Amino acid sequence: MKISHHSITARQVYDACLGENKVKAIYRGDVKIYPDNAARISQIRLDISAWSGTPDGSFWEQAIEAVSVYASTSRYIKMTADRTYMVGSTWGSYPLASYRGTGLFEFAYNEGPLLQNVRLGDSASLQIKLPSLKSFSIGGTQEFDQPVSRVYPACPSGTEVRGYFGKGQKRVSTGVRIVIVSLPSGQVLLDRHQQQNGHCRGSYDWNYGWVGSVAGDTQARLEVYPHQPRGGWGGYFIYPAASCSLTARIIQIVPEA
């Protein structure tokens, strides 16, 4: 169903509400005019291959992981293709576009873009906004004192590296060594050991430095090596707050059955 109002003409109606209640159907006499039978899209695929090995690609991977948890006014991916969707998780009245990987997005039944309004080769826009985020931590315990590692998306510029450890015994120097390796180049971005000496006990969470991405690399490996652990130990990243706008061509359209 399309409506016109003052200077706004021929705009498609996607949702209708009566107060706080969502309207299921609108009739003109005996004729149902909303929702109409306009064909919709169930899936679209965007060409995101150009982002591989770029800061945009790394930011996209970080954003997809972040919005898989939840979305808010400061943490979201908005995709516009005929209408605007929230990707991964949604808030407010925005419909959801589920991300299936390799540029493929899926829409709930009767919520996808109108087939008549989207063509192969059209561009979809993606607005991304993220607050400062803490990554998944890796580490061990006093009993588990073997080095650990994990591969993450390439680090955005200004990513903070942090290491933590507990010193539960006096007269034992305790700490961790952290190594960051950019992949697949193998370039070492950071290699630093820090420890607490002396007749003290406590828990420590220290800055080890800042890293960024290497052109052409898509991942970063975090390695943590414990030194005489007397408690929990490990490492993690803190990613800086950031926002950007990306565009990508539509290379596949799957209509609703």
Side-chain angles (χ1 to χ4, degrees):
M1 180 179 78
K2 290 186 176 182
I3 63 171
S4 298
H5 182 68
H6 298 307
S7 61
I8 301 173
T9 59
R11 295 298 179 88
Q12 185 69 37
V13 175
Y14 294 103
D15 297 292
C17 294
L18 183 62
E20 302 244 344
N21 298 317
K22 190 168 183 177
V23 172
K24 293 183 178 180
I26 299 175
Y27 288 82
R28 182 180 182 186
D30 294 330
V31 179
K32 185 178 180 180
I33 60 174
Y34 171 84
D36 59 20
N37 294 321
R40 292 184 180 271
I41 293 170
S42 65
Q43 294 180 332
I44 64 170
R45 189 184 302 274
L46 304 183
D47 183 4
I48 63 173
S49 59
W51 303 348
S52 180
T54 69
D56 285 345
S58 298
F59 189 48
W60 171 252
E61 292 296 328
Q62 180 190 347
I64 283 294
E65 183 175 345
V67 300
S68 69
V69 180
Y70 70 90
S72 68
T73 55
S74 62
R75 178 187 182 123
Y76 62 78
I77 301 175
K78 284 183 184 178
M79 181 182 71
T80 300
D82 181 37
R83 65 187 299 197
T84 298
Y85 299 84
M86 286 291 179
V87 177
S89 301
T90 188
W91 54 274
S93 60
Y94 289 100
L96 177 66
S98 299
Y99 187 62
R100 303 306 186 194
T102 63
L104 183 65
F105 299 82
E106 186 172 76
F107 311 98
Y109 180 74
N110 207 39
E111 288 194 349
L114 290 174
L115 188 60
Q116 66 190 22
N117 294 342
V118 179
R119 299 288 183 270
L120 288 175
D122 287 353
S123 290
S125 67
L126 294 149
Q127 293 183 319
I128 306 172
K129 186 175 183 180
L130 295 179
S132 178
L133 295 172
K134 176 183 175 181
S135 76
F136 181 82
S137 298
I138 60 171
T141 63
Q142 180 172 332
E143 293 74 23
F144 179 74
D145 60 357
Q146 297 303 303
V148 294
S149 68
R150 187 177 193 267
V151 174
Y152 298 76
C155 298
S157 179
T159 296
E160 183 181 4
V161 182
R162 297 193 68 87
Y164 63 91
F165 54 90
K167 185 177 184 298
Q169 182 180 343
K170 294 181 179 180
R171 293 185 290 183
V172 175
S173 297
T174 300
V176 293
R177 173 190 172 206
I178 290 185
V179 180
I180 310 298
V181 181
S182 185
L183 300 173
S185 71
Q187 181 175 333
V188 177
L189 304 180
L190 182 145
D191 186 344
R192 188 178 182 187
H193 173 89
Q194 295 191 100
Q195 67 184 43
Q196 178 64 46
N197 302 321
H199 300 280
C200 59
R201 293 186 178 96
S203 297
Y204 304 89
D205 191 323
W206 288 345
N207 169 274
Y208 274 65
W210 288 265
V211 295
S213 59
V214 173
D217 282 358
T218 57
Q219 296 176 313
R221 186 173 67 239
L222 168 62
E223 303 172 357
V224 186
Y225 300 81
H227 173 67
Q228 300 186 133
R230 294 299 184 268
W233 55 273
Y236 60 95
F237 297 116
I238 295 182
Y239 301 117
S243 61
C244 75
S245 294
L246 303 174
T247 59
R249 281 189 316 110
I250 298 172
I251 57 174
Q252 183 184 16
I253 294 173
V254 179
E256 285 185 348

